[in-house]
Amino acid sequence: MVLRMFIHGLESNNQGTKAVYFRKNFPGMLTPNFPGSLDERMAKLRALLAEKSDILLVGSSFGGLMASIFAVENETRVKRLILLAPAINLMEFTPYRETKLQIPVHLYHGRQDEVIPLEDVQSVASRVFPHLAFHAVDDDHYLHETFEKIEWDTLLT
């Protein structure tokens, strides 16, 4: 059975719009709260997913960074990544940039993103994720116009 989890961004929490959407539309999808530093957040993520496999991660912004790090560290346990304007351009992802993650990755990034530059993310993603479906969309960092139009029923199976 697939374990599905949404990881929110740095300044968000599990009461944000995306987490609420997933709880409403995909009962059983985990939407934990991740406060603290990246190290604290990653420790909590690793603990929540310890001994689990067939994991499908959706990560938004800083949550996309977290999901990517977890997937690189646990590739055989992760089925798919769905990244929403992931912060993989940050220095914290540098140690993982030489990795070639062999799982499917679907990435959505707004062309008008003023928080995380699309070009930086596209450059890193194209190197690390050889099985990448990159969707540059006419939207902002939060994907206000795009988020609910994504084919979630297909991606989350």
Side-chain angles (χ1 to χ4, degrees), residues 5-12 34 38 41-42 45 57-71 81-88 90 116 141:
M5 178 185 283
F6 171 70
I7 307 170
H8 63 77
L10 183 63
E11 296 179 8
S12 187
F34 290 99
L38 178 60
R41 290 168 184 236
M42 289 303 301
L45 178 62
L57 295 173
V58 179
S60 180
S61 192
F62 201 75
L65 169 66
M66 293 172 58
S68 297
I69 291 171
F70 184 87
L81 277 181
I82 301 135
L83 304 173
L84 309 171
I88 58 173
L90 296 180
I116 299 174
H141 179 66

Side-chain angles (χ1 to χ4, degrees), residues 19-59:
V20 169
Y21 173 87
F22 285 126
R23 280 197 302 276
K24 177 182 174 194
N25 294 287
F26 297 93
M29 186 167 183
L30 302 177
T31 60
N33 197 35
F34 290 99
S37 68
L38 178 60
D39 287 342
E40 292 168 324
R41 290 168 184 236
M42 289 303 301
K44 180 173 182 177
L45 178 62
R46 290 178 187 113
L48 287 169
L49 298 177
E51 316 267 333
K52 307 279 194 277
S53 60
D54 213 15
I55 302 165
L56 199 156
L57 295 173
V58 179

Side-chain angles (χ1 to χ4, degrees), residues 79-157:
K79 177 180 179 178
R80 179 180 306 129
L81 277 181
I82 301 135
L83 304 173
L84 309 171
I88 58 173
N89 63 318
L90 296 180
M91 193 174 72
E92 290 84 351
F93 196 65
T94 302
Y96 308 97
R97 289 187 180 173
E98 299 306 315
T99 305
K100 297 283 188 230
L101 193 63
Q102 299 301 318
I103 62 171
V105 178
H106 298 264
L107 194 156
Y108 295 83
H109 204 105
R111 289 187 187 96
Q112 291 83 41
D113 190 328
E114 295 181 359
V115 178
I116 299 174
L118 179 136
E119 296 79 17
D120 294 354
V121 168
Q122 193 166 24
S123 171
V124 173
S126 64
R127 286 195 315 268
V128 177
F129 309 132
H131 303 284
L132 174 67
F134 193 97
H135 307 274
V137 295
D138 288 320
D139 211 340
D140 59 13
H141 179 66
Y142 306 99
L143 300 171
H144 286 113
E145 299 297 319
T146 306
F147 177 75
E148 289 191 20
K149 296 175 186 169
I150 293 172
E151 294 291 328
W152 291 115
D153 287 331
T154 302
L155 291 174
L156 294 176
T157 58

